[in-house]
Amino acid sequence: MNFYRTTRLMLSSAVFFSLAGSAFALDGADLLKKLNAAYAAQGGTISADNVDIDGTTATLKNVSVKSAGGESLAVGEVTLSGVEEDEDGGYYIEEAAFPDINTTKDGVTVTAQELTLGGISIPATPGGGDTLDTMMLYETAHTGPLKVVKDGAELFSVLESDVNLTLREDESGFDFDGAFKSMKADLSKAEDPQSKDAIEKLALQHIQGDITMKGAWELAPGTIDISEFAFDFTNIGKLNLGFKISGYTMAFVKSLQDAMKQSEANPNKEESQQALGLAMLGLMQQLSFEAAQVRFEDASITKRALDYAGAQQNISGKQMADSLKAMTPIMLAQLNIPELQNAISAAVNTFLDDPKSLTVKAAPEKPVPFPTIVGAAMGAPNTLPQVLGVKVTAND
């Protein structure tokens, strides 16, 4: 009797868990619908022939993506793993894995591997408001080796790339960073004789380096602060760009998306472009400039550039540097910016004598609305350096 009771209990349990699994199974159609709606908020569309569900894994078959610009791309099979439905009807996806890319056109082959997105949040009602819970977000993006090959020769490659986006605990904003690691470019195959000569004299036949970026977005004031956007290449130098603006709020983003949608919906392309341009001008009035910086740290390219430029004039690199130092104040005098003129001349002289770093900073005492900048540029361009608080230094 105990044996039969145990058997019945096991069978009952199996039926219960089977029914429970069916009750809580993922709805592939609903997942695709909400994923498509989230992407549509950005002006594009996603389509798939069907969605296969296996536990918490959803496989999208024959996926194709249409961008906001109207271009269509056949993606293939996309695997979504660790899929969970939220209480509010949205979804969280641990990872989306995309098929490798291997395409050839006009003799050029492009390959890319290990394409993934991680920590994807799909809202239940995307595009319906100006809060975070209406946005599709991801936490990580990764690509493995990427290569561009022509006639058997590798012209360009990236070992891997990673982008990370971290939502702050109080949901007041994001911090993000990214890196394109071990980029390589082969310029030795240049066909134009003049370009080939310049590449050889500047020792730029084979370029290698990294691109990195760091930044933050504070949602309430709409402050975007790109503290680093650096191009660091061996035996060339490091160019770092940074800027900070405010007014780029969620409401601004939604208005921007709406303007793009209206433009795409207008069959008269010329008219739609004009309307979009006017809309952009209106939106720009909501933005303010807070700071910017351009900094170059030399790694021997300056001397080679002076030697090459001097050779074109039948003079030495040192003579070329002296010539540039003499010409700088003459050229700047035409701009009618005496205070900045002296600073630029001093920085140029210092840098050319001993190339280490050259920095241009713009840091006004308080944020400057973009319309003010446009007005100054059109009416009194010589006042812009003062309006923006521009400073130029070298070797600091």
Side-chain angles (χ1 to χ4, degrees), residues 337 339-340 363-365 368 380-391:
I337 47 173
E339 293 182 5
L340 188 60
E365 293 182 2
V368 181
N382 61 308
T383 65
L384 268 179
Q386 186 176 0
V387 170
L388 300 179
V390 179
K391 294 183 179 180

Side-chain angles (χ1 to χ4, degrees), residues 2-335:
N2 288 336
F3 171 77
Y4 289 110
R5 274 191 201 139
T6 303
T7 302
R8 283 199 301 272
L9 180 60
M10 291 176 62
L11 288 174
S12 298
S13 299
V15 172
F16 171 78
F17 284 116
S18 175
L19 291 173
S22 299
F24 294 104
L26 292 172
D27 184 339
D30 184 64
L31 172 62
L32 180 59
K33 177 183 176 181
K34 289 174 180 174
L35 176 62
N36 199 11
Y39 189 63
Q42 304 174 21
T45 57
I46 299 175
S47 62
D49 287 354
N50 62 306
V51 183
D52 291 344
I53 301 296
D54 182 9
T56 60
T57 299
T59 304
L60 281 60
K61 303 287 188 177
N62 295 326
V63 175
S64 61
V65 177
K66 188 175 182 181
S67 67
E71 297 180 358
S72 185
L73 174 66
V75 177
E77 184 174 290
V78 177
T79 302
L80 310 179
S81 56
V83 184
E84 298 177 0
E85 185 174 5
D86 300 332
E87 293 180 358
D88 61 359
Y91 290 90
Y92 178 80
I93 303 170
E94 286 187 2
E95 182 181 85
F98 300 86
D100 292 345
I101 295 173
N102 190 334
T103 179
T104 301
K105 184 176 181 180
D106 298 329
V108 178
T109 300
V110 178
T111 60
Q113 302 173 339
E114 303 170 18
L115 310 176
T116 62
L117 288 176
I120 307 169
S121 297
I122 301 175
T125 55
D130 55 6
T131 56
L132 282 178
D133 56 7
T134 64
M135 291 182 65
M136 180 170 67
L137 303 172
Y138 66 89
E139 297 170 3
T140 62
H142 173 80
T143 68
L146 181 150
K147 296 180 180 180
V148 178
V149 177
K150 182 179 181 181
D151 300 327
E154 185 179 296
L155 301 182
F156 177 80
S157 67
V158 180
L159 179 62
E160 64 177 346
S161 69
D162 288 285
V163 175
N164 304 293
L165 187 151
T166 304
L167 179 64
R168 296 172 183 172
E169 289 187 5
D170 58 0
E171 297 191 355
S172 63
F174 301 97
D175 296 294
F176 53 87
D177 63 81
F180 293 82
K181 304 172 185 176
S182 190
M183 297 179 62
K184 297 180 181 179
D186 184 357
L187 305 183
S188 64
K189 304 296 190 297
E191 298 178 357
D192 178 66
Q194 188 173 357
S195 299
K196 190 176 184 66
D197 179 65
I199 290 170
E200 290 177 353
K201 295 292 176 54
L202 295 171
L204 298 176
Q205 297 95 326
H206 299 280
I207 297 176
Q208 180 172 347
D210 303 323
I211 296 178
T212 55
M213 68 176 298
K214 292 181 180 178
W217 181 21
E218 194 173 349
L219 299 178
T223 301
I224 293 182
D225 185 2
I226 306 297
S227 57
E228 177 183 320
F229 189 16
F231 302 78
D232 191 356
F233 291 92
T234 305
N235 296 326
I236 296 177
K238 181 177 181 179
L239 177 66
N240 188 20
L241 312 175
F243 68 89
K244 185 177 183 180
I245 62 173
S246 56
Y248 198 88
T249 61
M250 290 286 293
F252 180 92
V253 173
K254 187 174 186 302
S255 297
L256 187 62
Q257 292 175 343
D258 290 343
M260 294 292 292
K261 288 180 184 178
Q262 291 176 9
S263 176
E264 289 298 324
N266 191 338
N268 188 326
K269 294 305 176 184
E270 183 177 349
E271 183 180 284
S272 69
Q273 289 299 317
Q274 291 177 350
L276 182 60
L278 290 174
M280 292 297 184
L281 286 175
L283 288 171
M284 290 288 283
Q285 296 186 38
Q286 302 177 35
L287 302 178
S288 293
F289 174 88
E290 295 199 13
Q293 175 176 301
V294 179
R295 179 179 173 86
F296 175 69
E297 299 175 15
D298 183 68
S300 76
I301 187 63
T302 300
K303 184 180 184 305
R304 298 200 302 273
L306 289 171
D307 289 341
Y308 175 73
Q312 306 301 304
Q313 305 294 326
N314 295 318
I315 59 177
S316 68
K318 176 65 168 59
Q319 290 172 317
M320 189 67 200
D322 291 338
S323 176
L324 289 174
K325 288 191 290 184
M327 291 172 57
T328 299
I330 298 174
M331 297 173 63
L332 291 173
Q334 303 176 26
L335 301 178

